[in-house]
Amino acid sequence: MPVATVREPMSQLLCQRLEASFPEAERTVALEKLKFLLRSIQNVPPITHTPPPMQPANPWPLAQVYQRLVLPEDGTPRGPLTADEDHALRQVHYLYEVQFAPKLENADVPGIRRPQSEIHARLLNEVRREFDALPFPPPRGEWETSTLLVAADLMVRAMLNGVQPTEVAIVASQEIPALPGRHLGGVKVHVVAWSAAIGLPWHTDATANPNAWDPSNPLGNEGNLLRAPVQLEWMDLRSLQQ
């Protein structure tokens, strides 16, 4: 069961290994991007189903990062890794699997258990589509930060509920006005997720939505998004420092 854990995403040893493998001008950006990615999935168990990406010709960026962390360059720290450092490597391996996960096929077929990374990749694409459809200006100029964090949060909630969600919808959204001295405004959304293979619960109260509910035509009844198994309230504010 996922458990919230607070830990530094990268130890000094791993930071030194990574920094030594990048040109000086790229080191800070590369390290900060990796730290954020690791923080974004800090509560997602990094369960993988493929061997570590150690092939030298592997073109995926996170495969190259993994190799730089595992095979330190001359002059960088060696020696055994701590439990937290091993966890960070598993996280990078997991992120790599999410990065190269194939498009999810037959998402509406019941009884198929998918690799966790494929479900996570599907959630990223679904959340990205939903955010891009919002009529509000995105915080910090783009939605990607929110996408990464929301998809990870949905993943944890889904695992706690024993669900492998394949569909995502934003069922409510609002723009938050700026608060002088506190923030520059932002957005608040209610996000839901469910499995296409299981479907959504049907309306049980004929008066709840008379325009959708027809007892004589059950095949025409609409699913109730507010009864989806995974629910999340999310708020993203533009900080004064951006």
Side-chain angles (χ1 to χ4, degrees):
M1 178 177 294
V3 177
T5 303
V6 178
R7 53 160 60 90
E8 282 298 315
M10 291 276 285
S11 69
Q12 183 177 3
L13 179 148
L14 293 180
C15 288
Q16 290 173 343
R17 287 186 178 184
L18 189 63
E19 288 174 332
S21 65
F22 279 97
E24 187 172 356
E26 301 175 15
R27 290 176 183 174
T28 300
V29 172
L31 187 57
E32 289 306 309
K33 283 185 176 180
L34 181 59
K35 284 183 176 181
F36 172 74
L37 285 174
L38 297 181
R39 288 192 192 98
S40 75
I41 63 164
Q42 63 183 344
N43 295 325
V44 180
I47 300 170
T48 57
H49 71 286
T50 63
M54 293 301 296
Q55 303 84 356
N58 192 316
W60 291 93
L62 283 167
Q64 297 173 22
V65 167
Y66 185 90
Q67 293 171 28
R68 287 166 168 166
L69 294 174
V70 173
L71 303 173
E73 293 191 356
D74 291 340
T76 56
R78 296 180 179 272
L81 300 180
T82 66
D84 281 354
E85 288 165 344
D86 280 329
H87 180 81
L89 287 177
R90 290 195 299 274
Q91 284 184 298
V92 175
H93 182 184
Y94 176 73
L95 287 168
Y96 159 74
E97 283 196 357
V98 173
Q99 188 178 62
F100 85 87
K103 182 179 179 181
L104 200 63
E105 302 288 350
N106 302 319
D108 57 348
V109 177
I112 300 177
R113 293 297 296 179
R114 315 279 184 172
Q116 180 180 314
S117 53
E118 289 187 14
I119 296 297
H120 199 142
R122 171 77 170 211
L123 288 178
L124 283 169
N125 289 331
E126 288 284 297
V127 172
R128 192 173 288 118
R129 185 204 67 242
E130 288 292 296
F131 272 125
D132 285 344
L134 290 177
F136 312 124
R140 293 176 293 278
E142 45 94 3
W143 292 114
E144 193 60 19
T145 296
S146 296
T147 294
L148 292 166
L149 295 172
V150 168
D153 202 337
L154 290 175
M155 193 76 211
V156 172
R157 292 166 186 256
M159 296 176 77
L160 289 170
N161 283 281
V163 179
Q164 284 203 317
T166 60
E167 316 303 310
V168 174
I170 291 178
V171 296
S173 64
Q174 68 180 85
E175 190 169 14
I176 300 174
L179 187 61
R182 299 288 298 275
H183 59 75
L184 299 176
V187 296
K188 181 180 180 180
V189 295
H190 186 120
V191 190
V192 303
W194 68 98
S195 169
I198 299 175
L200 284 166
W202 302 111
H203 292 292
T204 56
D205 183 353
T207 64
N209 186 351
N211 294 322
W213 181 259
D214 180 0
S216 65
N217 181 26
L219 294 179
N221 295 330
E222 297 178 359
N224 185 350
L225 290 174
L226 294 179
R227 295 177 63 193
V230 184
Q231 305 273 336
L232 171 63
E233 293 279 354
W234 175 259
M235 185 164 58
D236 195 342
L237 300 175
R238 295 189 292 273
S239 69
L240 297 174
Q241 288 75 33
Q242 68 174 1

